Amino acid sequence: MRPRRGAAPGRRGRAPAPTPGARQAQKQASRRALLDAALALLAEQNLSGLGVREVTRAAGLSPAGFYRHFADLAELGVVLVEESLANLHGMIRAVFAGSGEAEQLIDRSVEVIAAHVAEHPAYIRFLARERHGGVKPVRDAVAAELARFAEELAALLAVQPDTADWSARDRRMLAELYVDRMVSTALALVEADAAERAAIARTVRTQLRLINLGSRHWAAD
C-alpha cells in the first residue's frame, strides 16, 4: 500500500511531540512528586538518613530524574523549609496587620497556629526534626526563615500603638520573642492529643500575654 499523498513515510501513528506548556507541567509535577515523597518519608526519619534512590522510588521516578530538579537532598530540604513556613508567615502577617486589642491579636495568633498545625502536620514534624538536625544547609535555612519571620513581625509592630515609638532594635527583640513562642507552640501541638492541645493553647496564651504586659512597661536603656 502506498502512503497517503502528502503524508511523510514512516511517521504514521506517531504521537505528537508535547508542547512547551505540557513539558513544563510535567516537570512541575515530577518536582512536586519528589517533594511530597521526601516529606512523607521524613515523617519517620531525619533528612541525613534519607537516600536519593529511596525518594525517587517513592515518587515513581528514576534516580537520574532527581538531579533534573535538585542538586542534592539538602537542596530539596531547603525547599521544604520554605514551604513549611510560607503559609504561616502569611497568616501571622494578616493577624498583626489587622485591628484589635493585644488580647485579641494573641487569641487570633494562637488560633492561626493551631489551624496551621492541623492542616500541615507533616511540614511541622519536618521542622521539628531538622531545626537542629544534621544537615547544615537545612539548619541554616530554618534559621534564615525564622529570622525573616521576625523581621516581618517587627515591621508590623512598628505600626502598633504600643510599640510604634520603640527603636528598631527593641521591636526586633520583641518580634523574636513572639516568633520563638509561636514556633515552639507549633512543634508542641503537632504530637499532642486533643486534651494536650487545649492545655498547650492555654499556656501559650498566658506566655504571650505576659510578654505583651512586659512590653507595655519596657523602657530601653
Side-chain angles (χ1 to χ4, degrees):
M1 176 185 290
R2 280 190 282 175
R4 270 193 342 269
R5 182 174 296 176
R11 297 183 62 85
R12 186 181 303 163
R14 180 175 295 183
T19 64
R23 285 195 296 269
Q24 183 63 22
Q26 185 177 37
K27 182 178 179 181
Q28 290 299 321
S30 297
R31 186 176 187 272
R32 184 72 259 164
L34 290 167
L35 289 165
D36 290 344
L39 189 60
L41 291 166
L42 289 168
E44 303 297 335
Q45 59 185 304
N46 293 330
L47 184 63
S48 58
L50 197 61
V52 168
R53 288 186 178 276
E54 193 177 357
V55 173
T56 53
R57 189 182 308 117
L61 299 170
S62 68
F66 177 92
Y67 296 103
R68 297 190 189 102
H69 302 279
F70 304 104
D72 51 28
L73 282 168
E75 185 177 302
L76 180 147
V78 169
V79 174
L80 288 178
V81 169
E82 294 167 355
E83 291 186 348
S84 299
L85 290 168
N87 289 339
L88 187 59
H89 280 215
M91 290 187 289
I92 294 297
R93 278 199 305 269
V95 167
F96 277 84
S99 60
E101 297 295 326
E103 297 282 321
Q104 295 173 312
L105 296 180
I106 287 169
D107 286 343
R108 290 206 299 266
S109 297
V110 175
E111 289 167 5
V112 161
I113 294 165
H116 183 74
V117 171
E119 188 174 355
H120 304 288
Y123 280 119
I124 303 303
R125 289 190 179 94
F126 167 73
L127 283 178
R129 287 178 181 274
E130 302 303 328
R131 188 181 184 187
H132 304 293
V135 180
K136 187 177 185 302
V138 176
R139 287 201 317 273
D140 291 346
V142 173
E145 283 295 306
L146 294 181
R148 187 165 69 87
F149 198 175
E151 287 173 8
E152 292 172 356
L153 190 51
L156 294 171
L157 290 172
V159 297
Q160 293 293 327
D162 291 338
T163 49
D165 59 350
W166 284 28
S167 70
R169 177 181 177 182
D170 287 350
R171 282 195 297 268
R172 175 59 184 264
M173 177 181 64
L174 179 59
E176 288 173 350
L177 286 172
Y178 280 132
V179 168
D180 181 71
R181 283 298 83 213
M182 291 172 189
V183 172
S184 297
T185 299
L187 300 184
L189 285 171
V190 74
E191 299 298 346
D193 60 29
E196 290 169 335
R197 286 195 296 272
I200 290 167
R202 286 193 300 271
T203 298
V204 74
R205 281 189 178 95
T206 301
Q207 291 171 337
L208 292 174
R209 285 169 181 152
L210 182 59
I211 291 171
N212 177 65
L213 179 62
S215 71
R216 292 182 183 182
H217 300 279
W218 172 252
D221 294 336

